[in-house]
Amino acid sequence: MAVMFERVVPVRWRDSDGFGHVNNAVFLTYLEEGRDAFYAQTFDTEPYYVLARLEVDFRAEVRHQDRQVTVRIQAERMGTTSLITRETILTAAGTVAAEARVVTVRWDPGQHRPVPFSERERTWLTAAMDDDP
């Protein structure tokens, strides 16, 4: 089975809106926190990347009293400099709150351009996408 990365993210009081649930825009922050942790584990150097595409389906609300969510990241497809991931936000009770498909590009902030994944990164990501046991 393919490797799935998980990161627990706290639900902060400021994340809630006037209706008492986490504002939908904050879901993007939760996904980003999970993705940052995923890339910190994956990249050989500082995990610089930029978003190229983001699709989110909202499935259930998150409330402040949930206290935390779990962000799951699954690598789906890799290009020379880009990576497509499936990302899921789960409530503390295990309910799927959001599902996302994200395209990111490995980035060199000094050169302001995409940079290819290193051989080690490619090996790790290829293994993470492998569906064989």
Side-chain angles (χ1 to χ4, degrees):
M1 177 177 221
V3 174
M4 186 175 300
F5 177 84
E6 287 191 353
R7 174 69 166 212
V8 173
V9 178
V11 175
R12 298 169 274 293
W13 179 84
R14 65 178 163 87
D15 297 346
S16 299
D17 62 16
F19 296 110
H21 64 260
V22 172
N23 184 279
N24 62 332
V26 177
F27 280 51
L28 303 181
T29 300
Y30 295 159
L31 293 171
E32 181 180 35
E33 288 185 41
R35 194 177 322 108
D36 285 350
F38 170 77
Y39 279 141
Q41 167 186 295
T42 306
F43 289 169
D44 287 331
T45 60
E46 185 70 32
Y48 294 116
Y49 67 91
V50 294
L51 280 168
R53 182 171 177 80
L54 174 66
E55 302 170 32
V56 181
D57 293 315
F58 298 97
R59 305 286 185 209
E61 73 175 349
V62 173
R63 300 185 67 78
H64 177 255
Q65 54 264 37
D66 290 334
R67 299 288 183 221
Q68 67 182 34
V69 294
T70 300
V71 177
R72 288 186 178 159
I73 311 283
Q74 173 63 59
E76 182 180 280
R77 196 170 91 211
M78 175 179 37
T80 303
T81 63
S82 65
L83 181 67
I84 299 173
T85 53
R86 293 279 180 182
E87 304 181 8
T88 306
I89 298 173
L90 300 167
T91 67
T95 302
V96 174
E99 295 175 300
R101 187 165 188 252
V102 182
V103 179
T104 54
V105 175
R106 185 78 159 89
W107 192 253
D108 181 330
Q111 298 294 317
H112 303 283
R113 64 175 180 81
V115 59
F117 293 107
S118 71
E119 283 305 311
R120 190 195 71 76
E121 292 164 350
R122 295 187 75 71
T123 299
W124 192 91
L125 288 166
T126 299
M129 291 182 286
D130 188 4
D131 287 330
D132 295 331

